[in-house]
Every structure is written in structure tokens, then in C-alpha cells.
Amino acid sequence: MPTLLEIVSPDRLLLSQPVDMAVIPAAEGEMGVLPGHAPMIVLLQGGTIALHEGGRVTQRLYISGGFAEVTPERCTVLADEAVAVAEVSRSAAEARLAEANAAYAAADKADIPALDAAMQRQQAARAMVAAAEAA
Amino acid sequence: MASLKALRARINSVKSTRKITSAMKMVAASKLKRAQTQAEAARPYAERMQRMLAALAVSAAGSPNAPRMLIGTGRDQVQLLVVVTADRGLAGGFNTNVGRAARAAILRLEGEGKTVRVITVGRKGRDYLRREYADRLIGEYSFAGKKRVEFSDVDEVAARITAMLAAGEFDVCTIVYNRFVSVISQVPTEARLVPLPMPEAAPAEKPAGPQAQYEFEPDEEAILAALLPRNMAIQLFRALIESAAGEQGARMSAMDNATRNAGDMINRLTLNYNRTRQANITRELIEIISGAEAL
């Protein structure tokens, strides 16, 4: 029995389809979600979501961060921003990385939460560049 | 009695007004459709976020070091109002209704001895409140140049509120906006953002059913810390797009009324014009006949 993967961004429901397995970029490393997974709420970092069907990856989407709710029947991803990997633009990704690097350089090194936020942005931007390269 | 020429000019001017209002009605109708689609498209995210938040809030609310955004600062002295209106007028009572609701809220809160601060989103609300409450206004945002409100625009406002909360600049945050009930009905509504209103006593009735037992990664606090600002942005976003849809609805019905009124007026003026014309002809005839009789 497949698990139902839903990807939602603030402005719309992007995808809702049954998959054999979904690999999501959790904050502490990639995580594969199979049917019957224990219920979890996970923080996501920038990265790609891979949909596995019939032993192959059928679709990849880049997300810049968000949350996921996993239940035995369902995996709901609340993405801050989500795009199909094929549509990620290399130049936009690099512009964003440059911006994130600048923000990190400008951040107050004593202000830990701000520094963390800047590092997260850098990480998300790097993942976006990687996604653009892979496409 | 007005001269024929003046009447004719008047009729023409009302006719062009009618053209404008009916065109505005048409534009509002098509924008309404777009705004409604946007509002509907945003619903799944908000619903799912609500579900996750409910699961988290139940376990976190009891602990004393729960985040401020969830339980507030424990006081209610400084009240922050976020007033959402449109950027343009000619939408019937749309903007005034929100303005009036905000004003009532300010009066009520200050009557209770609270300190009120106001952030406005949309030009009309700012104009309305600036007259009386200029000293309470601490921020104003407007997305007038935008075709539609994007989530990234709202993030800016949400970030400001989050920063203010972290700095302890307010205790309670309420948003005042027009809730979209239907195309012809928008209700000015107050909704609380901070502290977060709890979902009605669900945990007491259902003590931790099997589906409520979530695991958290990295941990509840980290997720809550990320989820709460997000939720605030979403609530704001939802209010803004509902208000945008409501604005178009209100403008559509206001312009529909205006078009109808213009039509009535044209009918009245035309009747008046014809009567005057007939009276003039009759008078001229009488003058000619009595002139001829006098000879």
C-alpha cells in the first residue's frame, strides 16, 4: 500500500499523489518515508524531495525549507517554497547563494540566532545550486 | 427650470459616469475571480499547518518555558493592532467598516487603560487612522503597486511583528480585517495572533489517542520555534488575501449599485429634458398663435 505524499506551499497545493517512498531533507539528514512510518513531525532544511515509484525516482522537487508531518498513511510537506528540480534556474540559485553569503558576512557574529538563520539561508541556497546542477 | 443645454450636458456627464462605473464593475468581477482562486489555493497550507500546530501545542502549552508566541508574555498591557484594508477606495463601505472596527477596538482597549499600538497594512486604513491616532501608528505597509499579494511580501510584516515580540514591545497582537463571507458580504473581524488561541479543549476529551503520539525531529522546541513565526505569517497572509478578495467583491457590488443609480438618474433627467423641450415648443407655439391673432 503506497503512502500519500502531499506537498503544499503557502500559495497552493503543489502535489498530492501516492508514492512507494518519499525521501525528504530533514534537518538532521535525509529521511526516507515508507508506508507505515511512525507518526513524526520533522523540521526540513533546504534540499530536494525525491519521489520513488516502482523502484525508480520519478520526480524531484527542490524545497527551501519547511516542515513535514508523517503518519502511517500520509506524508505532508509544508514547504516554504517548492519548485520542480528541472525548473530551478542556475543563475537564480547562484544569485541567492551570493545574497546569503553577503547576509552571513554582514550578520553580527555575537548574535547566535541571527547567525543560525543566515547559515540556514546559505545551506538552502547551496542546496538550490546543487539541485540546479543535478537537473 | 434648468435650460435645455444644461440638462443635455448633465445627461452626458452621468452617461460617462455610468460607463466608468460599469467598466470598474467588470474589472472588479474579473479580479475577484482571481483573488478568490488565490484564497482557495492558500487554504490547504493553512489547514495542514493548523493540524500540525494543534499536535504540537497540546504537548508544549503546559511547560513553563513554552515560546512567547504560543502563550504570550502573560500580560495584556500593550496591545498591538494590525489593521488590514485596501489601498484604493470606491469600494462602498469596505475600508470604512474596518476603520470603524479598529477605532472601536482602540477606544475599548484604551478605556480599559491599555496601551495601544497600530500597524496598518493598506493605504486606506492608514489614512483613516492617521487623523485621530497618529501617535499610536508605529508602522505602515502598502502593497499598492502589486498585482496580487505574494507570500514574500507578508513575510516582511510578519518578521517585524516577530522581532517586536522578541523585544517585548507588545503583549497581545490582534489583526483587524474584512473576512470574506461571500461576494456581497464582508465582515470586519478581529482575530488574535499572539498569544495563539488554543483549539477548543480537544485534549481533555481525548487523552492522547494513538494518532496524537508524534515523534519530533530535532525536538519539539526547535520545531515550534520555526513553526510559530511561519504560522503567524500564514495567518497574516490569509487575512490579506481574504481582504483582497473582499475588496473586489465590495467594489463590484458598489459599482453595480452606482451603475444602476446612474441609469435611474439618466431616466429622470431624460424625462425632465423631454418635458422641458415640449414646454418650450408649446410656449413658442402659443406665442406665434397669439401673435398671429393679434394682427
Side-chain angles (χ1 to χ4, degrees), chain A residues 6 8-13 26-29 31 38-43 67-71 74 76 78-80, chain B residues 38 41-42 44-45 48-49 51-52 55-56 148 150-151 210 213-218 222-223 226-227 230 234 237:
Chain A
E6 289 181 310
V8 207
S9 74
D11 34 23
R12 66 209 167 92
L13 179 67
E28 292 174 348
M31 184 175 128
M40 269 187 107
I41 290 181
V42 194
L43 192 63
F67 313 90
E69 182 198 26
V70 180
T71 66
R74 201 177 54 215
T76 308
L78 297 184
D80 296 348
Chain B
Q38 197 192 0
Y45 192 94
R48 287 170 177 81
M49 177 151 266
R51 202 170 61 201
M52 274 167 72
L56 275 161
R148 49 184 269 179
E150 300 286 346
F151 185 70
Q213 296 291 19
Y214 282 101
E215 282 174 48
F216 301 97
E217 182 189 319
I223 296 179
L227 194 62
R230 202 79 197 148
I234 284 291
F237 183 56

Side-chain angles (χ1 to χ4, degrees), chain A residues 33-129:
Chain A
V33 180
L34 285 159
H37 198 289
M40 269 187 107
I41 290 181
V42 194
L43 192 63
L44 302 180
Q45 58 177 359
T48 53
I49 300 180
L51 279 64
H52 292 255
E53 276 166 289
R56 288 184 310 116
V57 176
T58 51
Q59 208 176 336
R60 282 178 186 281
L61 288 108
Y62 166 76
I63 61 161
S64 64
F67 313 90
E69 182 198 26
V70 180
T71 66
E73 312 80 48
R74 201 177 54 215
C75 172
T76 308
V77 175
L78 297 184
D80 296 348
E81 187 197 344
V83 232
V85 162
E87 286 160 27
V88 175
S89 128
R90 178 85 196 251
S91 54
E94 272 162 9
R96 202 181 284 193
L97 180 58
E99 213 174 276
N101 285 340
Y104 178 75
D108 182 1
K109 296 288 179 282
D111 186 355
I112 304 296
L115 221 51
D116 274 351
M119 274 169 72
Q120 261 172 32
R121 272 183 67 187
Q122 275 183 313
Q123 187 275 329
R126 258 185 236 120
M128 193 173 172
V129 173

